Amino acid sequence: MEEAAHKKIIFSGIQPSGDLTLGSYMGAIKNWVALSDEYECYYCIVDMHAITVRQVPADLRRRALSQLAQYIACGLDPKKNTLFIQSHVPAHAQLGWVLDCYTMFGELSRMTQFKDKSSKNADNINAGLFTYPALMAADILLYQTDLVPVGGDQKQHVEICRDIAMRFNNIYGDVFTIPEPYIPPTGARIMSLTSPENKMSKSDKDPGGCIYIMQSPDDIMRCFKRAVTDSETGHCVYACPEKLGVTNLMQIYSVCTGKTMDEIEAEFDGMGYGAFKPAVGEAVVETLRPIREEAERLMKDKAYLEDILRDGAERAAYAANRELIYGALTDMGYACARPDGAFYLFLKSPEPDARAFCRRAMDYDILLVPGDDFGCPGYARLAYCVARSQLQRSLPAFRKLAESYGLSK
Ligand code: TYM
């Protein structure tokens, strides 16, 4: 518990707007698993982002549960990682709105993903599609996230999140941790197998271009055998900007086998694409096989998956509300009500030692508890969850305490 309190924090998420692809596995999930021992991790199924494009309700529900099964099957232990659905934690929407008000029209207009998606969905360019990055910033900032592991296409979104956080902090003080992106050296941009100048994407209309985690081995092999390469006569396997298809296949092979590009070039020297393409297919089949089998097994136990989601939402809501209530909302000047009609108040201790601060508060008849027990060192919590009227009575005492520290807020 003590150790967990000192771990740095990761947040990342994937939209259940389509089935999980090899691209999202290599660009994101594989790294989530690799980083999960070292960090305290929140891995989310971002279903609120998914509705910026029209979804079939039953499909969206099925995919969200299946995505959870695939997260676990990829190696994310639900006991060690907080796995949850974004819409189960209303604080995301709450902070999302607040950050909308600190995000500029101009900067949203420059987002590549907005330009791309609005050109593809010309009949539904809705406000959510436009303000998408502010909600994504809320996802990240709500947990005081240090690191955001994503594929290369999300770098711009993490950058705008940093800009929003810095803008907010410049006005209200040190409210949000400024997150860093983590973009893997290999696999950050897996390209379509049929049009390697485009990113592999779940919204790809061409069925052969995208590989899915849950796809059957036969299908996967078929796609790789048909993968677009180039018309170079020697069929030499080496990476260069003119050989986008081959370079992409080498990247995929590298992520699956751990081999470097030089090692791969040497391995297929003189063998041609006829041998290379099925070898990449085999490597992908073997990487995905245990994941698919485990996800299929988990999908049969819906009650287990739903328990994980309940537990995940509870843990995430706890952390999110703590940050939201102490951080953004109170600093902005809101009084914070919980839905059950009670208030929690979190204060950052003005002294390095939160315990000493709590003892001092007792002089004012205010009962505070140091925050270490809820993973929040340096903070103090009003010890009782009071009803509105009681809080009103406590506020003057709080004000006196704050004044005694020279705090005017
Ligand atoms: P999404 O759902 O499009 O993609 C999920 C993750 O997979 C990565 N990815 C890829 N990486 C390499 N090659 C590819 N072809 C490929 N396709 C997808 C993405 O970079 C991403 O990491 N906006 C996000 C979801 C989101 C989020 C967040 C992410 C919402 N809130 C907070 C991080 C933190 C998105 O649309 O990802």
Side-chain angles (χ1 to χ4, degrees), residues 131-153:
T131 61
Y132 182 112
L135 179 60
M136 179 159 159
D139 297 340
I140 296 169
L141 300 179
L142 210 39
Y143 299 90
Q144 302 292 26
T145 300
D146 297 284
L147 198 68
V148 188
V150 281
D153 61 326

Side-chain angles (χ1 to χ4, degrees), residues 11-18 20-29 31-32 42 44-50 67 71 86 92 113 117 132-133 135-141 145 147-155 157-158 161 182-184 186-192 198-202 210 248:
F11 182 97
S12 197
I14 298 181
Q15 300 186 58
S17 52
L20 288 180
T21 69
L22 185 64
S24 45
Y25 174 71
M26 294 188 161
I29 307 174
N31 309 304
W32 298 1
Y42 295 87
C44 190
I45 296 161
V46 289
D47 58 347
M48 286 156 67
H49 282 101
Q67 194 163 312
Y71 280 6
Q86 185 187 29
H92 288 251
Q113 190 167 302
K117 286 204 174 166
Y132 182 112
L135 179 60
M136 179 159 159
D139 297 340
I140 296 169
L141 300 179
T145 300
L147 198 68
V148 188
V150 281
D153 61 326
Q154 295 299 316
K155 190 162 177 257
H157 282 159
V158 180
C161 167
Y182 173 90
I183 301 190
T186 321
R189 194 165 167 79
I190 301 296
M191 311 308 277
S192 156
N198 297 321
K199 189 190 79 163
M200 181 181 283
S201 160
K202 52 197 160 196
C210 188
N248 185 41

